Amino acid sequence: MHPEYILTLSCLDQRGIVHRVSGFLAEHGCNIIDSAQFGDPESRLFFMRVHFALEDAGIGEAALRASFTALCDAMQMTGQLHDAKVKPRVMLMVSKIGHCLNDLLFRYKSGLLPVEIPAIVSNHMDFYQLAASYNIPFHHLPLAAGAGDAAKLAQEARILDLIDTHQVDLVVLARYMQVLSPGLCAALKGRAINIHHSFLPSFKGARPYAQAHLRGVKLIGATAHFVTGDLDEGPIIEQDVERVDHAMSAETLAAIGRDVECVVLARAVKWFVEHRVLQNGDKTVVF
């Protein structure tokens, strides 16, 4: 078996990018397994993802990475080279609603989600037994209702310490119901994903499905997006909807909504850890 890698890049659109990248791989004994690219006429940026195998045993990973860095510098590209066999490390955060956490853990244990989960963080104790059943350390970081800025920053400092200690690549807010501070959002830029129902901004606050039921909505859905300092407005990664009708109760709508949230979040996480998601300003490119 030859070692496999995933190359991702973005740069100003220009002639010859695909030619230069494919030529670089051929010169370094690499065989392309699959490739995708997109040129955005609005941002004038070009994006590319290439999955390839290094078939020349005489070329080591260090030499390949050094040459790729030189190519990025020469073409003014922002690029990354990922070892395809390395599973990204994901920290899950949850409060008192556990359907997304339970779904992600099942997919992880079943091998459907290629990640390592070194820690689960919560401001409540509700899911410590669930974490234990998967043999994953559970970190209870409580934050009292009405806690001041100092307490919140102290709690977030412990979150950052866990991220550093466990070398976390991605933080998933699996229905973590605390608003992150601007500082923590900045520290996690591009590596934190949130999930929420797609009623925003129409039905904010408590019991959104009950509010939607009273208004007779016909579509419910969910949105997974990158976390930013603008609450629930980060670059969208994935969305989905389900049709509902007048005969359904608010409880039925909420149950359907939970299923959609699980699926949408799982897709977003899987695409991220497979290095398929590239940010394009306030949007994303998903290969």
Side-chain angles (χ1 to χ4, degrees):
M1 296 293 291
H2 301 294
E4 296 181 10
Y5 298 88
I6 297 170
L7 174 160
T8 60
L9 64 85
S10 62
C11 62
L12 283 176
D13 205 350
Q14 55 193 288
R15 288 191 301 272
I17 301 173
V18 175
H19 174 74
R20 289 284 297 274
V21 172
S22 58
F24 162 82
L25 292 173
E27 291 165 5
H28 289 78
C30 300
N31 181 46
I32 294 175
I33 298 171
D34 62 76
S35 177
Q37 56 273 335
F38 170 68
D40 185 350
E42 295 179 0
S43 67
R44 297 180 58 221
L45 293 176
F46 180 85
F47 302 86
M48 190 172 187
R49 177 188 184 273
V50 184
H51 178 197
F52 65 91
L54 177 56
E55 297 182 347
D56 188 339
I59 298 178
E61 180 177 327
L64 181 67
R65 290 186 179 277
S67 296
F68 179 60
T69 299
L71 176 67
C72 289
D73 291 342
M75 298 191 67
Q76 297 183 311
M77 299 186 303
T78 299
Q80 292 182 308
L81 190 60
H82 308 275
D83 188 331
K85 73 175 182 296
V86 174
K87 295 180 179 180
R89 297 172 65 78
V90 177
M91 187 171 85
L92 305 179
M93 297 181 66
V94 65
S95 290
K96 295 175 71 70
I97 303 174
H99 56 281
C100 287
L101 173 68
N102 191 54
D103 180 76
L104 290 172
L105 290 175
F106 174 79
R107 293 171 190 268
Y108 152 73
K109 190 68 172 181
S110 304
L112 301 173
L113 195 59
V115 300
E116 298 292 346
I117 304 178
I120 296 172
V121 171
S122 181
N123 54 327
H124 297 280
M125 285 294 292
D126 297 57
F127 300 111
Y128 78 95
Q129 289 178 316
L130 179 62
S133 72
Y134 285 92
N135 198 30
I136 298 174
F138 181 87
H139 300 271
H140 180 218
L141 304 182
L143 194 63
D149 291 343
K152 184 173 182 63
L153 291 176
Q155 187 235 26
E156 291 189 345
R158 295 177 65 189
I159 293 172
L160 284 170
D161 183 61
L162 286 170
I163 292 169
D164 292 339
T165 298
H166 293 291
Q167 298 179 309
V168 168
D169 300 298
L170 175 67
V171 173
V172 178
L173 306 185
R175 295 304 302 268
Y176 181 70
M177 305 308 289
Q178 292 290 326
V179 177
L180 305 188
S181 71
L184 185 55
C185 290
L188 297 178
K189 183 179 180 181
R191 57 189 185 120
I193 294 175
N194 188 28
I195 183 72
H196 62 72
H197 60 77
S198 287
F199 295 138
L200 295 172
S202 298
F203 307 125
K204 296 181 179 179
R207 306 183 69 228
Y209 288 97
Q211 297 179 55
H213 179 259
L214 290 174
R215 292 291 300 276
V217 300
K218 298 300 184 283
L219 285 173
I220 60 174
T223 296
H225 62 89
F226 281 116
V227 174
T228 67
D230 296 319
L231 184 63
D232 293 327
E233 295 185 14
I236 294 169
I237 301 170
E238 172 63 341
Q239 294 178 296
D240 205 349
V241 296
E242 287 285 345
R243 291 201 64 85
V244 295
D245 63 38
H246 62 277
M248 296 178 180
S249 66
E251 290 74 19
T252 299
L253 297 189
I256 295 172
R258 287 192 294 270
D259 289 343
V260 180
E261 288 172 10
C262 288
V263 171
V264 168
L265 182 58
R267 287 177 189 157
V269 172
K270 188 172 189 291
W271 293 340
F272 181 94
V273 300
E274 291 178 346
H275 313 293
R276 297 183 181 277
V277 184
L278 285 73
Q279 285 195 240
N280 180 17
D282 293 329
K283 302 184 292 184
T284 63
V285 173
V286 182
F287 287 124

